[in-house]
Amino acid sequence: MAQECPAWLDETFLASALQGENGSQVTIVKFSVKPAVAAGDNYMSHMYRVRVEYTVAESQLGLQTTSLIVKIPISKGAIMDVLDSSDFYAKEPRIYNELLPKFRKLVGCEFGPTAFNCPIENGMILQDLNAVNYIMCDKMKQLDFSHCKLVYKTLAKFHASSVACYHNDPELIKGLGEDKMRSSKSEMFHSFIKSAIKHIKKYLDEAEGCKYAKKFVLNRADHVSESITNMLQPKMNGLNVLNHGDLWINNLLFKYSNSKEVEDVKFIDFQNTRWGSMVPDLIYFLWTSANEEVREHKQNELYSYYRESLNSNLEQLGCPERLSAEELEDDLRAASDFVLVIISGTVPFVLSRPEDTVNMENLSSDEIKSFDMLEHLFNSKSFQETLPKMIKQFENWIAPNSG
């Protein structure tokens, strides 16, 4: 069912966004609204694409046209108790308004779209990147090596910028890097992990072969939640960076050259930023968004490329830190539990089709505590078709450590 245009999204709202810091008088001539994403492509916000025609007083430009993305938090249901207690929505406006401008000054890179003034608390009004030829790729087809390499290159620059910014303003980075949604105190996060492990265990019990995966789940099932919580904390020793925290294909928009070669990428959706090892970003992206060929044959090449890019950016920024091959390898191997939960808990959401969509506002508190909605997504046709191959690739990941 299509989203209705909310009553507050009117001429006054749009004029406030477009008038800018100088307070120029903006007159909205006309505007149109439609959903910005399909059902199943965003779970925690309402998103609208708004095409606006307007004039600016004392401007010689006459009638102007722009396209905006309006992103507003969901506002009802039992899920709000969880989101409000974690300050889930308060972080992203600060990322756009405080952090990304600092990054731009450091490395001359626009990591995301331009943000406009939004009169709604924790709401966002963003430049519509589609209007400047950035597009979202098909989450079902996933990304080839050239796309993945570009994402890792840009991510390395983003991570290095966060290290440089930490030297200048550690409190800003620490504040934006606190992850309350995936902490030891988050009942919803632990329910999610428990549900994911339950469903993957049931699948493996009935599957033929998969001896490494079966052994891994048998040995690790009772420890996964604690392991992941610890892995997501800042490291006492070693290199920490500000993770994007939700780096998957629907939070990336790509631009292409005239010859159809991918040439740039922008990040969106910065609600889950986290200060810690860079590995969660690296493997979350790879297991949710890279295609089978990349996961099967190009992982090590991508990790090495990322490390070289990160260290090069750190050097250019005058940061003394470097990421060694040994530290990266250790962090990757320590993330096996995280990979398992990405496969069994996150990928079912990633591969959901419109007919499989879970409406987070309609969930009861009991459904949130049990995370039973995952069963519906886990058993969907699209995920079940993908799962056997991912399990084999996961076994390749853990086999060197399986005795």
Side-chain angles (χ1 to χ4, degrees):
M1 184 174 68
Q3 289 175 306
E4 295 182 1
C5 178
W8 50 260
L9 211 172
D10 57 13
E11 288 87 351
T12 301
F13 177 89
L14 294 170
S16 174
L18 293 171
Q19 69 182 7
E21 295 180 357
N22 60 10
S24 301
Q25 182 179 343
V26 173
T27 301
I28 305 299
V29 177
K30 65 177 181 178
F31 69 96
S32 60
V33 182
K34 62 181 181 180
V37 295
D41 285 347
N42 187 278
Y43 286 93
M44 295 298 193
S45 303
H46 298 298
M47 298 183 66
Y48 307 92
R49 175 169 280 111
V50 187
R51 188 177 186 278
V52 188
E53 295 183 18
Y54 66 101
T55 59
V56 180
E58 301 180 5
S59 170
Q60 303 299 315
L61 296 177
L63 185 66
Q64 300 181 55
T65 302
T66 192
S67 185
L68 304 171
I69 299 295
V70 179
K71 180 179 181 181
I72 302 298
I74 60 175
S75 58
K76 62 182 181 181
I79 189 70
M80 294 309 301
D81 292 336
V82 177
L83 300 178
D84 287 343
S85 65
S86 65
D87 294 327
F88 180 73
Y89 293 111
K91 185 184 291 186
E92 188 173 25
R94 293 189 62 201
I95 296 289
Y96 277 103
N97 296 322
E98 298 178 44
L99 190 66
L100 293 188
K102 291 180 182 292
F103 284 10
R104 182 175 63 247
K105 290 181 180 179
L106 285 169
V107 293
C109 180
E110 296 280 359
F111 289 105
T114 302
F116 298 86
N117 173 61
C118 183
I120 294 180
E121 183 180 10
N122 294 331
M124 302 288 302
I125 302 176
L126 303 170
Q127 169 195 22
D128 181 3
L129 290 171
N130 283 174
V132 287
N133 300 318
Y134 285 82
I135 63 172
M136 186 181 295
C137 293
D138 187 340
K139 68 179 184 179
M140 296 300 182
K141 294 181 180 179
Q142 302 182 308
L143 300 173
D144 64 15
F145 181 70
S146 62
H147 286 79
C148 293
K149 189 174 182 180
L150 176 61
V151 171
Y152 271 26
K153 177 182 179 181
T154 307
L155 185 63
K157 186 173 290 188
F158 181 88
H159 286 167
S161 299
S162 74
V163 175
C165 192
Y166 179 83
H167 287 303
N168 296 327
D169 194 347
E171 294 307 313
L172 174 65
I173 297 297
K174 286 180 180 178
L176 295 175
E178 184 179 6
D179 185 2
K180 296 180 181 178
M181 281 289 288
R182 283 170 277 200
S183 72
S184 59
K185 298 179 181 179
S186 174
E187 183 178 3
M188 179 177 171
F189 181 53
H190 293 293
S191 296
F192 165 71
I193 293 175
K194 183 178 180 180
S195 181
I197 295 300
K198 178 181 74 174
H199 287 100
I200 197 65
K201 185 177 184 300
K202 180 180 178 182
Y203 171 84
L204 290 171
D205 286 344
E206 298 172 357
E208 295 183 3
C210 310
K211 68 173 184 178
Y212 285 126
K214 289 179 179 179
K215 180 179 179 181
F216 183 89
V217 173
L218 181 65
N219 291 337
R220 298 297 305 160
D222 294 335
H223 309 286
V224 169
S225 186
E226 181 181 4
S227 167
I228 293 176
T229 301
N230 291 336
M231 187 205 73
L232 295 178
Q233 299 305 306
K235 294 190 291 184
M236 297 299 293
N237 298 297
L239 180 60
N240 291 304
V241 302
L242 188 71
N243 283 247
H244 176 282
D246 194 15
L247 198 71
W248 70 292
I249 192 169
N250 275 24
N251 289 335
L252 303 163
L253 288 98
F254 295 93
K255 190 173 185 178
Y256 298 85
S257 67
N258 292 334
S259 59
K260 308 300 182 183
E261 298 292 325
V262 62
E263 62 179 12
D264 194 25
V265 63
K266 302 288 189 193
F267 299 163
I268 58 173
D269 201 346
F270 293 92
Q271 292 167 331
N272 291 289
T273 51
R274 179 193 319 108
W275 181 247
S277 168
M278 68 295 301
V279 159
D281 263 358
L282 296 178
I283 60 179
Y284 189 90
F285 165 74
L286 191 141
W287 287 90
T288 60
S289 306
N291 66 21
E292 286 187 7
E293 171 71 17
V294 172
R295 292 196 308 268
E296 189 80 32
H297 301 293
K298 297 291 188 178
Q299 287 197 46
N300 289 335
E301 183 176 347
L302 281 172
Y303 296 141
S304 295
Y305 177 73
Y306 166 83
R307 188 178 71 84
E308 293 169 2
S309 298
L310 176 68
N311 286 337
S312 175
N313 278 285
L314 289 170
E315 182 178 8
Q316 292 174 26
L317 288 165
C319 299
E321 296 90 347
R322 298 292 183 271
L323 177 63
S324 69
E326 292 76 17
E327 181 180 352
L328 178 57
E329 178 68 17
D330 288 346
D331 284 4
L332 286 167
R333 289 302 160 200
S336 296
D337 291 340
F338 189 50
V339 175
L340 178 66
V341 171
I342 292 171
I343 294 171
S344 57
T346 304
V347 175
F349 280 91
V350 169
L351 296 181
S352 65
R353 298 184 183 276
E355 61 268 23
D356 302 321
T357 300
V358 174
N359 188 324
M360 302 301 283
E361 289 182 307
N362 291 341
L363 296 178
S364 68
S365 57
D366 288 341
E367 287 173 317
I368 293 170
K369 290 177 181 178
S370 66
F371 233 88
D372 283 343
M373 87 287 287
L374 183 58
E375 181 175 5
H376 167 66
L377 298 174
F378 192 95
N379 292 322
S380 68
K381 180 180 178 182
S382 55
F383 180 65
Q384 288 295 314
E385 289 175 348
T386 302
L387 184 55
K389 185 65 175 180
M390 296 197 87
I391 290 296
K392 289 182 179 179
Q393 291 167 341
F394 178 66
E395 290 199 302
N396 291 336
W397 173 283
I398 61 174
N401 294 334
S402 300

